[in-house]
Amino acid sequence: TMRLEEIRAKIDTLDEEIKALLLERLACSREVASAKAEQGETQIYRADREEAILERLGGEVPEEIRREYLAIVRKIMETSRMYQYGLLYDWMPERFQALFAGVPYEIPGQRVKLLLTRPNRPNAMSSILSMVGDYGYNMEKMELLSYSEDRESVRFLLTVRGDLSERHMQKLMVQLAGESQDFCIMEVLR
């Protein structure tokens, strides 16, 4: 058996290889966003495509580590979407202005109250929490309002601690709106 230091050294080497591959993947994500911007398209999230990718990539992974492996792949895809949404917002902010209609987003605030509906599937709530955290914000409150009658979707009322006048918070709103139905910024709280 390898000593602990040798195992850690191997992990350090693998981490450098993974870093290079992730940076290459993000460069590809930038190209995807660029192609979408050229077409005037703002849809990034495609649940059907991501499910097919997860099924394909997880197919030959041993069962005892499949969930862990797929959790990593999901996070990579979520991060790729985060990057693409941010790029599209930077390049075409006018395409997203309807999200902020009637909302005083230029005025600093302490919290943002949102209403959204998401598909009722595993990770529906945790992916929201993950997105909020990845942008550097905290969830103050998350309230489940309802399930649809067919239990296919769930409706949430969220309060996120953060300032909507900040560009990153606006990008978070763009991503949440792109990955939700009936998205609405209810109010900015001081």
Side-chain angles (χ1 to χ4, degrees):
T1 62
M2 286 194 237
R3 293 188 346 237
L4 185 57
E5 296 82 26
E6 292 171 326
I7 296 168
R8 287 182 175 156
K10 183 174 182 176
I11 289 172
D12 290 345
T13 299
L14 289 170
D15 285 344
E16 287 300 317
E17 293 174 24
I18 291 169
K19 176 183 173 183
L21 289 172
L22 290 174
L23 291 173
E24 186 176 343
R25 192 181 194 292
L26 284 170
C28 289
S29 293
R30 183 180 183 87
E31 290 178 33
V32 168
S34 178
K36 288 185 177 198
E38 286 174 15
Q39 297 172 3
E41 186 178 333
T42 59
Q43 181 186 7
I44 300 295
Y45 182 59
R46 291 202 26 226
D48 59 332
R49 177 167 161 65
E50 290 194 9
E51 286 303 316
I53 291 169
L54 290 169
E55 190 173 310
R56 178 177 51 86
L57 293 178
E60 295 183 18
V61 175
E63 182 66 34
E64 65 270 10
I65 60 171
R66 185 174 299 138
R67 287 177 194 234
E68 293 81 0
Y69 171 76
L70 291 176
I72 293 168
V73 174
R74 278 188 197 92
K75 189 62 181 180
I76 291 169
M77 290 189 295
E78 181 182 302
T79 304
S80 176
R81 294 191 316 266
M82 175 185 181
Y83 184 46
Q84 290 179 49
Y85 281 115
L87 289 170
L88 290 181
Y89 186 61
D90 286 340
W91 297 338
M92 308 183 307
E94 69 283 351
R95 296 292 304 267
F96 301 97
Q97 288 310 303
L99 291 175
F100 305 105
V103 178
Y105 71 95
E106 306 91 353
I107 301 169
Q110 300 300 313
R111 298 181 309 268
V112 180
K113 198 171 189 178
L114 315 167
L115 181 67
L116 57 88
T117 304
R118 303 242 323 154
N120 186 18
R121 64 169 72 115
N123 296 325
M125 288 195 296
S126 63
S127 65
I128 293 170
L129 293 171
S130 181
M131 279 184 245
V132 170
D134 288 345
Y135 280 91
Y137 300 103
N138 290 319
M139 185 77 64
E140 181 175 277
K141 184 177 181 181
M142 177 182 249
E143 181 181 349
L144 176 62
L145 296 178
S146 66
Y147 285 103
S148 63
E149 286 187 32
D150 56 8
R151 297 180 86 64
E152 290 293 316
S153 62
V154 289
R155 189 171 184 92
F156 297 102
L157 184 63
L158 313 173
T159 304
V160 179
R161 292 195 66 78
D163 185 347
L164 193 56
S165 69
E166 294 176 356
R167 191 81 169 167
H168 282 330
M169 179 64 100
Q170 294 166 20
K171 289 179 181 183
L172 170 60
M173 298 300 112
V174 167
Q175 184 168 2
L176 286 171
E179 299 186 15
S180 304
Q181 304 153 358
D182 306 323
F183 178 87
C184 177
I185 299 173
M186 304 292 288
E187 64 182 308
V188 177
L189 305 164
R190 311 266 173 254

